[in-house]
Amino acid sequence: MIDWQAYADQVVGLVGCNVTHAGRSAASGVDCVGVPHAAAVAAGLPLGPIRLYGSQPTEAELWSGLAEFCDVAEDPDTAHIWQVPFIGGARHVVVPLQELVNGTLCVHAWSNRGKVVESLFRRHTAHGWHIRGIAWRPQA
């Protein structure tokens, strides 16, 4: 079992990386699913590749891709990944790291900026996910 903090440290290490559709490594760039996937691999979790999806995946396609290496979290407060609303459904994922007074500090791939960034998200989570093999995120 990989410690949550080891995973979180790898997530933070991706901030500033380039955004590349279907990217899964800091060297080549990552997309929104690539952020948690690359961080988990860098923390020592032996994850395989994820099936490819279009540059504008549907909520169902994103769900299917996440289900390849994650399980749905009943409590989003312990989730490693939040699937969040984005233009027509829950079509984007962010990695929640720390609860703050005005929202949750999250890391995600922001295609408009072309980089992985830290942003505040308020609780508009459609689904929470646990990555198989990583300890649950500590609750605030």
Side-chain angles (χ1 to χ4, degrees):
M1 180 73 63
I2 304 294
D3 178 70
W4 179 84
Q5 190 60 55
Y7 162 73
D9 291 345
Q10 294 300 324
V11 169
V12 171
L14 291 170
V15 171
C17 288
N18 290 327
V19 172
T20 303
H21 173 65
R24 299 292 178 261
S25 75
S28 62
V30 293
D31 63 6
C32 68
V33 172
V35 170
H37 189 275
V41 170
L45 198 61
L47 296 178
I50 303 169
R51 92 183 71 141
L52 293 179
Y53 45 81
S55 62
Q56 297 294 319
T58 65
E59 183 173 346
E61 288 172 326
L62 192 57
W63 179 285
S64 179
L66 290 169
E68 290 184 27
F69 68 103
C70 300
D71 296 314
V72 175
E74 290 186 28
D75 181 0
D77 287 338
T78 66
H80 304 123
I81 302 169
W82 287 347
Q83 189 174 351
V84 298
F86 179 78
I87 306 173
R91 300 176 44 220
H92 185 58
V93 299
V94 302
V95 178
L97 293 178
Q98 181 182 5
E99 301 297 324
L100 302 172
V101 173
N102 54 347
T104 302
L105 180 64
C106 296
V107 171
H108 65 109
W110 191 349
S111 61
N112 286 350
R113 292 214 178 146
K115 298 286 182 189
V116 176
V117 298
E118 291 181 322
S119 299
L120 284 179
F121 276 77
R122 290 180 179 75
R123 185 66 61 153
H124 297 296
T125 308
H127 311 289
W129 295 87
H130 289 133
I131 299 173
R132 292 181 207 107
I134 295 180
W136 287 15
R137 182 168 68 98
Q139 292 181 325

